[in-house]
Amino acid sequence: WHTDLLLAHGAGWYAPPDAPESAWKIMDALLADPERLAQAGHCARQLAEREFDRRVLSPRFAALFGEITPTGNASVSVPRNHGGLPDVG
């Protein structure tokens, strides 16, 4: 699913694991087109902030745990700097 997600958002490329030459072709093309590489980096950052930021994921996990716990009561509080991870965005 990661490959599909990255490709759908213009945030990455795919090279089959059994065809290393295709990875080299992709890298050569990217090195020849820094704008395209920068755009993919921008798209990857936007995707990460929109889909994987802890402020986005915490409520999703809380809802999921609320669905599967016997009481249906799953409360999650996200500390400002959970685990020493830097804030994104």
Side-chain angles (χ1 to χ4, degrees):
W1 67 271
H2 292 104
T3 301
D4 294 337
L5 184 66
L6 294 172
L7 292 173
H9 291 277
W13 296 268
Y14 173 76
D18 59 345
E21 67 282 352
S22 65
W24 285 112
K25 288 179 184 178
I26 291 169
M27 287 190 280
D28 281 343
L30 292 173
L31 290 172
D33 190 351
E35 273 188 42
R36 182 175 170 206
L37 186 57
Q39 180 62 32
H42 177 75
C43 290
R45 174 69 183 224
Q46 286 184 324
L47 176 63
E49 289 176 359
R50 187 176 57 249
E51 298 294 327
F52 300 107
D53 184 274
R54 70 176 176 262
R55 292 172 293 245
V56 173
L57 291 179
S58 293
R60 290 180 187 171
F61 281 121
L64 174 64
F65 292 135
E67 291 174 12
I68 61 174
T69 59
T71 63
N73 184 8
S75 174
V76 174
S77 128
V78 181
R80 178 75 181 128
N81 196 2
H82 179 66
L85 299 172
D87 282 330
V88 176

Coordinates of all heavy atoms in Angstrom, one line a residue:
W1 N 0.8 -1.2 0.0 CA 0.0 0.0 0.0 C 0.8 1.3 0.0 O 0.4 2.3 -0.5 CB -1.0 0.0 1.1 CG -0.4 0.0 2.5 CD1 0.0 -1.0 3.3 CD2 -0.2 1.2 3.3 NE1 0.4 -0.5 4.5 CE2 0.3 0.9 4.5 CE3 -0.4 2.6 3.0 CZ2 0.7 1.8 5.5 CZ3 0.0 3.5 4.0 CH2 0.5 3.1 5.2
H2 N 2.1 1.2 0.5 CA 2.9 2.3 0.5 C 3.3 2.8 -0.9 O 3.2 4.0 -1.1 CB 4.2 2.0 1.3 CG 4.1 1.8 2.7 ND1 4.1 0.5 3.3 CD2 3.9 2.7 3.7 CE1 3.9 0.6 4.6 NE2 3.8 1.9 4.9
T3 N 3.6 1.9 -1.7 CA 3.9 2.2 -3.1 C 2.7 2.9 -3.8 O 2.9 4.0 -4.4 CB 4.3 1.0 -3.9 OG1 5.4 0.3 -3.3 CG2 4.6 1.3 -5.3
D4 N 1.6 2.4 -3.6 CA 0.4 3.0 -4.2 C 0.1 4.4 -3.7 O -0.2 5.3 -4.5 CB -0.9 2.1 -4.0 CG -0.8 0.8 -4.7 OD1 -0.1 0.6 -5.7 OD2 -1.5 -0.2 -4.2
L5 N 0.3 4.6 -2.4 CA 0.1 5.9 -1.8 C 1.1 6.9 -2.3 O 0.7 8.0 -2.7 CB 0.2 5.7 -0.3 CG -0.1 7.0 0.5 CD1 -1.6 7.4 0.4 CD2 0.3 6.7 2.0
L6 N 2.4 6.5 -2.3 CA 3.4 7.4 -2.8 C 3.2 7.8 -4.3 O 3.3 8.9 -4.7 CB 4.8 6.9 -2.6 CG 5.2 6.7 -1.1 CD1 6.5 5.9 -1.0 CD2 5.3 8.1 -0.5
L7 N 2.9 6.8 -5.1 CA 2.7 7.0 -6.5 C 1.5 7.9 -6.8 O 1.5 8.8 -7.6 CB 2.5 5.7 -7.3 CG 3.8 4.8 -7.4 CD1 3.4 3.5 -8.0 CD2 4.9 5.5 -8.2
A8 N 0.4 7.7 -6.0 CA -0.8 8.4 -6.2 C -0.7 9.9 -5.9 O -1.3 10.8 -6.4 CB -2.0 7.8 -5.4
H9 N 0.3 10.2 -5.0 CA 0.5 11.6 -4.6 C 1.7 12.2 -5.2 O 2.1 13.3 -4.8 CB 0.6 11.6 -3.0 CG -0.8 11.3 -2.4 ND1 -1.8 12.3 -2.3 CD2 -1.3 10.2 -1.9 CE1 -2.8 11.7 -1.7 NE2 -2.5 10.4 -1.5
G10 N 2.4 11.5 -6.1 CA 3.6 12.1 -6.8 C 4.7 12.2 -5.8 O 5.6 13.1 -6.0
A11 N 4.8 11.4 -4.8 CA 5.8 11.5 -3.7 C 6.8 10.4 -3.8 O 7.7 10.3 -2.9 CB 5.1 11.5 -2.4
G12 N 6.8 9.6 -4.8 CA 7.8 8.6 -4.9 C 7.7 7.8 -6.2 O 6.8 8.1 -7.0
W13 N 8.6 6.8 -6.4 CA 8.7 6.0 -7.5 C 8.8 4.6 -7.1 O 9.1 4.3 -6.0 CB 9.9 6.4 -8.4 CG 9.7 7.8 -8.9 CD1 9.2 8.2 -10.1 CD2 10.1 9.0 -8.2 NE1 9.2 9.5 -10.2 CE2 9.8 10.1 -9.1 CE3 10.7 9.3 -7.0 CZ2 10.0 11.4 -8.7 CZ3 10.9 10.6 -6.7 CH2 10.6 11.6 -7.5
Y14 N 8.6 3.7 -8.1 CA 8.7 2.2 -7.8 C 9.7 1.6 -8.8 O 9.6 1.8 -10.0 CB 7.4 1.6 -7.9 CG 7.5 0.1 -7.7 CD1 7.6 -0.5 -6.5 CD2 7.4 -0.8 -8.9 CE1 7.8 -1.9 -6.3 CE2 7.5 -2.1 -8.7 CZ 7.7 -2.7 -7.5 OH 7.8 -4.1 -7.3
A15 N 10.5 0.8 -8.2 CA 11.4 -0.1 -9.0 C 11.3 -1.5 -8.5 O 11.4 -1.7 -7.3 CB 12.9 0.4 -8.9
P16 N 11.0 -2.5 -9.3 CA 10.8 -3.8 -8.9 C 12.1 -4.3 -8.2 O 13.2 -4.0 -8.7 CB 10.5 -4.6 -10.2 CG 10.1 -3.6 -11.2 CD 10.8 -2.3 -10.8
P17 N 12.0 -5.1 -7.1 CA 13.2 -5.5 -6.4 C 14.1 -6.4 -7.2 O 15.2 -6.5 -6.9 CB 12.6 -6.2 -5.2 CG 11.2 -6.5 -5.5 CD 10.7 -5.5 -6.5
D18 N 13.5 -7.1 -8.2 CA 14.3 -8.0 -9.0 C 14.9 -7.3 -10.3 O 15.4 -8.0 -11.2 CB 13.5 -9.2 -9.4 CG 12.2 -8.9 -10.2 OD1 11.8 -7.7 -10.2 OD2 11.7 -9.8 -10.8
A19 N 14.7 -6.0 -10.4 CA 15.2 -5.3 -11.5 C 16.0 -4.0 -11.1 O 15.5 -2.9 -11.2 CB 14.1 -4.9 -12.4
P20 N 17.2 -4.2 -10.5 CA 17.9 -3.0 -10.0 C 18.2 -2.0 -11.1 O 18.4 -0.8 -10.8 CB 19.2 -3.6 -9.4 CG 19.3 -5.0 -10.0 CD 17.9 -5.4 -10.3
E21 N 18.3 -2.4 -12.3 CA 18.6 -1.5 -13.4 C 17.5 -0.4 -13.5 O 17.8 0.7 -13.9 CB 18.9 -2.2 -14.8 CG 17.6 -2.9 -15.3 CD 17.3 -4.2 -14.7 OE1 18.1 -4.8 -13.9 OE2 16.2 -4.8 -15.1
S22 N 16.3 -0.8 -13.2 CA 15.2 0.2 -13.3 C 15.3 1.2 -12.2 O 15.0 2.4 -12.4 CB 13.8 -0.5 -13.2 OG 13.6 -1.1 -12.0
A23 N 15.9 0.9 -11.1 CA 16.1 1.8 -10.0 C 17.2 2.8 -10.4 O 17.1 4.0 -10.2 CB 16.6 1.1 -8.7
W24 N 18.2 2.3 -11.1 CA 19.3 3.2 -11.6 C 18.7 4.2 -12.7 O 19.0 5.4 -12.7 CB 20.4 2.4 -12.2 CG 21.3 1.8 -11.2 CD1 21.4 0.5 -10.9 CD2 22.1 2.5 -10.2 NE1 22.3 0.3 -9.9 CE2 22.7 1.6 -9.4 CE3 22.4 3.9 -10.0 CZ2 23.6 1.9 -8.4 CZ3 23.2 4.2 -9.0 CH2 23.8 3.2 -8.2
K25 N 17.8 3.7 -13.5 CA 17.2 4.6 -14.5 C 16.4 5.7 -13.9 O 16.4 6.8 -14.3 CB 16.3 3.8 -15.5 CG 17.1 2.9 -16.4 CD 16.2 2.1 -17.4 CE 17.0 1.2 -18.2 NZ 16.2 0.4 -19.1
I26 N 15.6 5.3 -12.9 CA 14.8 6.3 -12.1 C 15.7 7.3 -11.5 O 15.5 8.5 -11.6 CB 13.9 5.6 -11.1 CG1 12.8 4.8 -11.8 CG2 13.3 6.6 -10.2 CD1 12.1 3.8 -10.9
M27 N 16.8 6.9 -10.8 CA 17.7 7.8 -10.1 C 18.4 8.7 -11.1 O 18.5 9.9 -10.9 CB 18.7 7.0 -9.3 CG 18.0 6.4 -8.0 SD 19.2 5.8 -6.8 CE 19.6 4.2 -7.6
D28 N 18.8 8.2 -12.3 CA 19.4 9.0 -13.3 C 18.5 10.1 -13.8 O 18.9 11.2 -13.9 CB 19.9 8.1 -14.5 CG 21.2 7.4 -14.2 OD1 21.9 7.8 -13.2 OD2 21.5 6.4 -14.9
A29 N 17.2 9.7 -14.0 CA 16.3 10.7 -14.5 C 16.0 11.8 -13.4 O 15.9 13.0 -13.7 CB 14.9 10.0 -14.8
L30 N 16.0 11.4 -12.2 CA 15.7 12.4 -11.1 C 16.9 13.3 -10.9 O 16.8 14.5 -10.7 CB 15.4 11.6 -9.8 CG 14.1 10.9 -9.8 CD1 14.0 10.1 -8.5 CD2 13.0 11.9 -9.9
L31 N 18.1 12.7 -11.0 CA 19.3 13.6 -10.9 C 19.4 14.6 -12.0 O 19.9 15.7 -11.9 CB 20.6 12.7 -10.8 CG 20.7 11.9 -9.5 CD1 21.9 11.0 -9.7 CD2 20.9 12.9 -8.4
A32 N 18.9 14.2 -13.2 CA 18.8 15.1 -14.3 C 17.7 16.1 -14.3 O 17.7 17.1 -15.1 CB 18.7 14.3 -15.6
D33 N 16.8 16.0 -13.3 CA 15.6 16.9 -13.2 C 15.4 17.3 -11.8 O 14.5 16.8 -11.1 CB 14.4 16.2 -13.8 CG 13.2 17.1 -14.0 OD1 13.3 18.3 -13.5 OD2 12.2 16.6 -14.6
P34 N 16.2 18.2 -11.3 CA 16.1 18.6 -9.9 C 14.8 19.2 -9.5 O 14.3 19.0 -8.4 CB 17.2 19.6 -9.7 CG 18.1 19.6 -10.9 CD 17.3 18.9 -11.9
E35 N 14.1 19.8 -10.4 CA 12.8 20.4 -10.1 C 11.8 19.3 -9.8 O 11.0 19.4 -8.9 CB 12.3 21.2 -11.3 CG 12.7 22.7 -11.2 CD 12.1 23.5 -12.3 OE1 10.9 23.4 -12.5 OE2 12.8 24.3 -12.9
R36 N 11.8 18.2 -10.6 CA 10.9 17.1 -10.4 C 11.2 16.4 -9.1 O 10.3 16.1 -8.3 CB 11.1 16.1 -11.6 CG 10.2 14.9 -11.5 CD 10.4 14.0 -12.7 NE 9.7 12.8 -12.6 CZ 10.1 11.7 -13.2 NH1 11.1 11.6 -14.0 NH2 9.4 10.6 -13.0
L37 N 12.5 16.3 -8.7 CA 12.9 15.7 -7.4 C 12.4 16.6 -6.3 O 11.8 16.1 -5.3 CB 14.4 15.6 -7.4 CG 14.9 14.8 -6.2 CD1 14.3 13.4 -6.0 CD2 16.5 14.8 -6.3
A38 N 12.6 17.9 -6.4 CA 12.1 18.8 -5.4 C 10.6 18.8 -5.2 O 10.0 18.8 -4.1 CB 12.6 20.3 -5.7
Q39 N 9.9 18.7 -6.4 CA 8.4 18.6 -6.3 C 7.9 17.4 -5.6 O 7.0 17.4 -4.8 CB 7.8 18.7 -7.7 CG 6.3 18.6 -7.8 CD 5.6 19.8 -7.1 OE1 6.1 20.9 -7.0 NE2 4.5 19.5 -6.5
A40 N 8.6 16.3 -5.9 CA 8.3 15.0 -5.2 C 8.5 15.1 -3.7 O 7.7 14.6 -2.9 CB 9.1 13.8 -5.8
G41 N 9.6 15.8 -3.3 CA 9.9 16.0 -1.9 C 8.8 16.8 -1.3 O 8.4 16.5 -0.1
H42 N 8.4 17.9 -2.0 CA 7.3 18.7 -1.5 C 6.0 17.9 -1.3 O 5.3 18.0 -0.3 CB 7.0 19.9 -2.4 CG 5.9 20.8 -2.0 ND1 6.0 21.7 -1.0 CD2 4.7 20.9 -2.5 CE1 4.8 22.3 -0.9 NE2 4.0 21.8 -1.8
C43 N 5.7 17.1 -2.3 CA 4.5 16.2 -2.2 C 4.6 15.2 -1.1 O 3.6 15.0 -0.4 CB 4.3 15.5 -3.5 SG 3.8 16.5 -4.9
A44 N 5.8 14.7 -0.9 CA 6.0 13.7 0.2 C 5.8 14.4 1.6 O 5.1 13.8 2.5 CB 7.4 13.1 0.1
R45 N 6.3 15.6 1.7 CA 6.1 16.3 3.0 C 4.6 16.6 3.2 O 4.1 16.4 4.3 CB 6.9 17.6 2.9 CG 6.7 18.6 4.1 CD 7.4 18.0 5.3 NE 7.1 18.8 6.5 CZ 8.0 19.1 7.3 NH1 9.3 18.7 7.2 NH2 7.7 19.9 8.4
Q46 N 3.9 17.1 2.2 CA 2.5 17.3 2.4 C 1.7 16.1 2.7 O 0.8 16.1 3.6 CB 1.9 17.9 1.1 CG 2.3 19.4 0.8 CD 1.6 19.9 -0.4 OE1 1.4 19.2 -1.4 NE2 1.2 21.2 -0.3
L47 N 2.0 15.0 2.1 CA 1.4 13.7 2.4 C 1.7 13.3 3.8 O 0.7 12.9 4.6 CB 1.9 12.6 1.4 CG 1.4 11.2 1.7 CD1 -0.1 11.1 1.5 CD2 2.1 10.2 0.7
A48 N 2.9 13.4 4.3 CA 3.3 13.0 5.6 C 2.5 13.9 6.6 O 2.0 13.4 7.6 CB 4.8 13.2 5.8
E49 N 2.4 15.2 6.4 CA 1.7 16.1 7.4 C 0.2 15.8 7.4 O -0.4 15.8 8.4 CB 2.0 17.5 7.0 CG 3.4 17.9 7.3 CD 3.7 19.4 6.8 OE1 2.8 20.0 6.3 OE2 4.9 19.8 7.0
R50 N -0.3 15.5 6.2 CA -1.8 15.3 6.1 C -2.2 14.0 6.6 O -3.3 13.8 7.2 CB -2.2 15.5 4.6 CG -3.7 15.5 4.4 CD -4.0 15.8 3.0 NE -3.4 14.8 2.0 CZ -2.5 15.1 1.2 NH1 -2.0 16.3 1.1 NH2 -2.0 14.2 0.4
E51 N -1.4 12.9 6.4 CA -1.9 11.6 6.7 C -1.2 10.9 7.9 O -1.7 10.0 8.5 CB -1.6 10.6 5.5 CG -2.4 11.0 4.3 CD -3.9 10.9 4.5 OE1 -4.4 10.0 5.2 OE2 -4.7 11.7 3.9
F52 N 0.0 11.4 8.3 CA 0.8 10.6 9.3 C 1.3 11.5 10.5 O 2.0 11.0 11.4 CB 2.0 10.0 8.6 CG 1.6 9.0 7.6 CD1 1.8 9.3 6.2 CD2 1.0 7.8 7.9 CE1 1.4 8.4 5.2 CE2 0.7 6.9 6.9 CZ 0.8 7.2 5.6
D53 N 0.9 12.7 10.5 CA 1.2 13.5 11.7 C 0.5 13.0 12.9 O -0.6 12.5 12.8 CB 0.7 15.0 11.5 CG 1.1 15.9 12.6 OD1 0.4 16.0 13.6 OD2 2.2 16.6 12.5
R54 N 1.2 13.0 14.1 CA 0.5 12.4 15.3 C -0.8 13.1 15.7 O -1.6 12.4 16.3 CB 1.5 12.4 16.4 CG 1.8 13.8 17.0 CD 2.8 13.6 18.2 NE 3.1 14.9 18.7 CZ 4.3 15.5 18.4 NH1 5.1 14.9 17.6 NH2 4.5 16.7 18.9
R55 N -0.9 14.3 15.3 CA -2.2 15.0 15.6 C -3.3 14.5 14.7 O -4.5 14.6 15.1 CB -2.0 16.5 15.4 CG -1.1 17.2 16.5 CD -0.8 18.6 16.1 NE 0.0 18.7 14.9 CZ 1.2 19.1 14.9 NH1 1.8 19.6 16.0 NH2 1.9 19.2 13.7
V56 N -3.0 13.9 13.6 CA -4.0 13.3 12.7 C -4.2 11.8 13.1 O -5.3 11.3 13.2 CB -3.5 13.3 11.2 CG1 -4.4 12.5 10.3 CG2 -3.4 14.8 10.8
L57 N -3.1 11.1 13.4 CA -3.2 9.7 13.7 C -3.8 9.4 15.1 O -4.5 8.4 15.3 CB -1.8 9.0 13.6 CG -1.3 8.9 12.2 CD1 0.1 8.2 12.3 CD2 -2.2 8.1 11.3
S58 N -3.5 10.2 16.1 CA -4.0 10.0 17.4 C -5.5 9.8 17.5 O -6.0 8.9 18.1 CB -3.5 11.1 18.4 OG -2.1 11.0 18.6
P59 N -6.3 10.8 16.9 CA -7.7 10.6 17.0 C -8.2 9.4 16.2 O -9.2 8.7 16.6 CB -8.3 11.9 16.3 CG -7.2 12.9 16.4 CD -5.9 12.1 16.4
R60 N -7.5 9.0 15.1 CA -7.9 7.8 14.3 C -7.7 6.6 15.2 O -8.5 5.7 15.2 CB -7.0 7.7 13.1 CG -7.4 8.8 12.0 CD -6.5 8.6 10.8 NE -6.7 9.7 9.9 CZ -5.9 9.9 8.8 NH1 -5.0 9.0 8.5 NH2 -6.2 10.9 8.0
F61 N -6.5 6.5 15.9 CA -6.3 5.4 16.7 C -7.3 5.3 17.9 O -7.8 4.3 18.3 CB -4.8 5.4 17.3 CG -3.8 4.9 16.3 CD1 -2.8 5.7 15.9 CD2 -3.9 3.6 15.7 CE1 -1.9 5.2 15.0 CE2 -3.0 3.1 14.8 CZ -2.0 4.0 14.4
A62 N -7.6 6.5 18.5 CA -8.5 6.5 19.6 C -9.9 6.0 19.1 O -10.5 5.2 19.8 CB -8.6 8.0 20.1
A63 N -10.3 6.4 17.9 CA -11.6 6.0 17.4 C -11.6 4.4 17.2 O -12.5 3.7 17.5 CB -11.9 6.7 16.1
L64 N -10.4 4.0 16.6 CA -10.3 2.5 16.4 C -10.4 1.8 17.7 O -11.1 0.8 17.9 CB -9.0 2.2 15.7 CG -8.6 0.8 15.5 CD1 -9.7 0.1 14.6 CD2 -7.3 0.6 14.9
F65 N -9.6 2.2 18.7 CA -9.6 1.5 20.0 C -11.0 1.6 20.7 O -11.4 0.7 21.4 CB -8.5 2.1 20.9 CG -7.1 1.7 20.4 CD1 -6.1 2.7 20.4 CD2 -6.8 0.4 20.0 CE1 -4.8 2.3 20.0 CE2 -5.6 0.1 19.5 CZ -4.6 1.1 19.5
G66 N -11.6 2.8 20.4 CA -13.0 2.9 21.0 C -13.9 1.9 20.4 O -14.9 1.4 21.1
E67 N -13.7 1.5 19.2 CA -14.6 0.5 18.5 C -14.3 -0.9 19.0 O -15.1 -1.7 19.0 CB -14.3 0.5 17.0 CG -14.9 1.8 16.3 CD -14.5 1.8 14.8 OE1 -14.0 0.8 14.3 OE2 -14.6 2.9 14.2
I68 N -13.0 -1.1 19.4 CA -12.7 -2.5 19.8 C -12.6 -2.8 21.3 O -12.4 -3.9 21.7 CB -11.4 -3.0 19.1 CG1 -10.2 -2.1 19.5 CG2 -11.5 -3.0 17.6 CD1 -8.9 -2.5 19.0
T69 N -12.6 -1.8 22.1 CA -12.5 -2.0 23.5 C -13.9 -2.3 24.1 O -14.9 -1.9 23.5 CB -12.0 -0.8 24.3 OG1 -12.8 0.4 24.0 CG2 -10.6 -0.4 23.9
P70 N -14.0 -3.1 25.1 CA -15.3 -3.5 25.7 C -16.2 -2.3 26.1 O -17.4 -2.3 25.9 CB -14.9 -4.4 26.9 CG -13.5 -4.8 26.7 CD -12.9 -3.7 25.8
T71 N -15.5 -1.3 26.6 CA -16.3 -0.1 27.1 C -16.6 0.9 26.0 O -17.5 1.7 26.1 CB -15.6 0.6 28.2 OG1 -14.3 1.1 27.7 CG2 -15.3 -0.3 29.4
G72 N -15.8 0.8 24.9 CA -16.0 1.7 23.8 C -15.5 3.1 24.2 O -15.7 4.1 23.5
N73 N -14.7 3.2 25.3 CA -14.2 4.4 25.8 C -12.7 4.4 25.7 O -12.0 3.9 26.5 CB -14.7 4.7 27.2 CG -14.2 6.0 27.7 OD1 -13.8 6.9 27.0 ND2 -14.4 6.2 29.0
A74 N -12.2 5.0 24.6 CA -10.7 5.1 24.4 C -10.4 6.6 24.3 O -10.7 7.2 23.4 CB -10.3 4.4 23.2
S75 N -9.7 7.1 25.3 CA -9.3 8.5 25.3 C -7.8 8.6 25.2 O -7.1 7.9 25.9 CB -9.7 9.1 26.7 OG -9.2 10.4 26.7
V76 N -7.4 9.4 24.2 CA -6.0 9.5 23.9 C -5.6 11.0 24.0 O -6.3 11.8 23.4 CB -5.6 9.0 22.5 CG1 -4.2 9.3 22.2 CG2 -5.9 7.5 22.4
S77 N -4.6 11.3 24.8 CA -4.1 12.7 24.9 C -2.7 12.7 24.3 O -1.9 11.8 24.6 CB -4.2 13.1 26.4 OG -3.0 13.6 26.8
V78 N -2.5 13.7 23.5 CA -1.2 13.7 22.8 C -0.4 14.8 23.5 O -0.7 16.0 23.3 CB -1.4 14.0 21.3 CG1 0.0 14.1 20.6 CG2 -2.3 13.0 20.7
P79 N 0.7 14.5 24.2 CA 1.6 15.5 24.8 C 2.2 16.4 23.7 O 2.4 15.9 22.5 CB 2.6 14.7 25.5 CG 2.2 13.3 25.5 CD 1.2 13.1 24.5
R80 N 2.6 17.6 24.0 CA 3.1 18.5 23.0 C 4.4 17.9 22.3 O 4.5 18.0 21.2 CB 3.5 19.8 23.7 CG 4.1 20.8 22.9 CD 3.1 21.5 22.0 NE 3.7 22.4 21.1 CZ 3.6 22.5 19.8 NH1 2.8 21.6 19.2 NH2 4.2 23.3 19.1
N81 N 5.2 17.3 23.1 CA 6.4 16.7 22.5 C 6.6 15.2 22.8 O 7.5 14.9 23.5 CB 7.7 17.5 22.9 CG 8.9 17.2 22.0 OD1 8.7 16.4 21.0 ND2 10.0 17.8 22.3
H82 N 5.6 14.4 22.4 CA 5.6 13.0 22.8 C 6.8 12.3 22.3 O 7.2 12.3 21.2 CB 4.4 12.4 22.1 CG 4.2 10.9 22.3 ND1 4.0 10.4 23.6 CD2 4.3 9.9 21.5 CE1 3.9 9.1 23.5 NE2 4.1 8.8 22.2
G83 N 7.5 11.7 23.3 CA 8.7 10.9 23.0 C 9.9 11.6 22.5 O 10.7 11.0 21.9
G84 N 9.9 12.9 22.6 CA 11.0 13.7 22.2 C 11.0 13.9 20.7 O 12.0 14.4 20.1
L85 N 10.0 13.5 19.9 CA 9.9 13.7 18.5 C 9.7 15.2 18.1 O 8.9 15.8 18.8 CB 8.8 12.8 17.9 CG 9.0 11.3 18.1 CD1 7.7 10.6 17.6 CD2 10.2 10.8 17.4
P86 N 10.3 15.6 17.1 CA 10.1 17.0 16.7 C 8.7 17.2 16.1 O 8.2 16.3 15.5 CB 11.2 17.3 15.6 CG 11.5 15.9 15.1 CD 11.3 15.0 16.3
D87 N 8.2 18.4 16.3 CA 6.9 18.7 15.7 C 7.1 18.8 14.2 O 8.1 19.3 13.7 CB 6.3 20.0 16.2 CG 5.7 19.8 17.6 OD1 5.2 18.7 17.8 OD2 5.7 20.8 18.3
V88 N 6.1 18.4 13.4 CA 6.1 18.5 11.9 C 5.2 19.7 11.6 O 4.0 19.7 12.0 CB 5.6 17.2 11.3 CG1 5.6 17.4 9.8 CG2 6.6 16.1 11.6
G89 N 5.7 20.6 10.8 CA 4.8 21.7 10.3 C 4.9 22.9 11.1 O 5.0 23.4 12.0

